[in-house]
Amino acid sequence: MTDSATQPATPHRSPATPHRSPDTAPSPDVPSGIEPDGYAVPTLRRRLLSMLYESLLLFGVLFLAGYLFSALTQQRSGLMHRHAMQAWLFLVLGAYFVWFWTHGGQTLAMKTWKIRLVDAQGQPVHTARAVARYALAWLWVLPAMALDWGLGLTGWGSVALLTGWVVLWALAMRVMPDHQFIHDRLAGTRLVSVLGK
């Protein structure tokens, strides 16, 4: 009979954990538990809840940016300098997202919901790719808005068109091989889950 204390311990590996040889250790920039060839993908529910939380946070950011624009331009009504204000808010939103995506890959809402943005190789996102993702993310709403304008829809018809487009855009990730949103595939980025961090 052998003494179990003298036998070398065999490391236990769960069937869900992929084998990793010492020479393929992940880069320190890649979140732990994420393999370069096998990302943990956040669920659609978590992504949408993160986006909802993000919209609440952005309300404050856009309110302050709008107030600053109004004060500096002496805006007296919502129609005065309207297009300049829209361009300003577009740039403020872009600066917000690009800065967070290039400094840790997470906005405040993404940190809360344990989601990180990386490039297709699992590396941190650089500025040009973050800018491309921000521009492509407008495909969530711009095609529906253009169609709405072209059809001259108003009221509930306009709301239904925009809602239908957003739902289709979100569900399209289910047919993608890597379950990423279309704009992420076009921008060369991926949303990965960092649960347990």
Side-chain angles (χ1 to χ4, degrees):
M1 182 157 187
T2 61
D3 183 8
S4 61
T6 61
Q7 292 179 346
T10 305
H12 174 71
R13 190 171 72 238
S14 126
T17 307
H19 174 68
R20 180 189 302 141
S21 62
D23 58 326
T24 59
S27 159
D29 294 328
V30 180
S32 65
I34 296 172
E35 299 292 327
D37 57 347
Y39 291 94
V41 180
T43 63
L44 178 59
R45 177 180 172 272
R46 271 179 56 216
R47 290 188 237 184
L48 294 179
L49 287 171
S50 174
M51 290 167 66
L52 179 63
Y53 183 35
E54 196 82 72
S55 67
L56 297 175
L57 297 174
L58 286 175
F59 178 80
V61 172
L62 293 179
F63 178 82
L64 290 175
Y67 179 78
L68 179 63
F69 179 88
S70 297
L72 291 176
T73 62
Q74 310 257 323
Q75 189 180 29
R76 290 179 176 26
S77 76
L79 295 177
M80 186 178 175
H81 309 304
R82 184 178 67 159
H83 297 302
M85 185 171 190
Q86 289 171 344
W88 164 248
L89 295 178
F90 177 81
L91 292 174
V92 168
L93 277 177
Y96 171 89
F97 283 112
V98 168
W99 193 89
F100 278 110
W101 290 340
T102 56
H103 291 79
Q106 294 175 293
T107 62
L108 299 176
M110 292 168 76
K111 281 184 181 177
T112 301
W113 289 97
K114 309 293 185 188
I115 297 171
R116 178 172 292 151
L117 183 73
V118 295
D119 70 11
Q121 287 73 43
Q123 299 301 311
V125 175
H126 296 292
T127 304
R129 196 172 297 278
V131 169
R133 184 182 194 260
Y134 172 69
L136 290 166
W138 283 95
L139 292 174
W140 276 90
V141 293
L142 286 182
M145 290 172 66
L147 187 58
D148 178 50
W149 177 79
L151 295 175
L153 297 176
T154 58
W156 288 109
S158 182
V159 170
L161 176 64
L162 182 59
T163 303
W165 177 261
V166 168
V167 168
L168 285 175
W169 189 266
L171 291 177
M173 56 82 66
R174 295 198 180 272
V175 299
M176 294 292 165
D178 54 0
H179 300 294
Q180 296 293 327
F181 290 130
I182 298 171
H183 64 279
D184 279 307
R185 288 183 61 84
L186 294 173
T189 55
R190 300 170 72 97
L191 290 175
V192 296
S193 177
V194 288
L195 283 173
K197 290 286 288 178

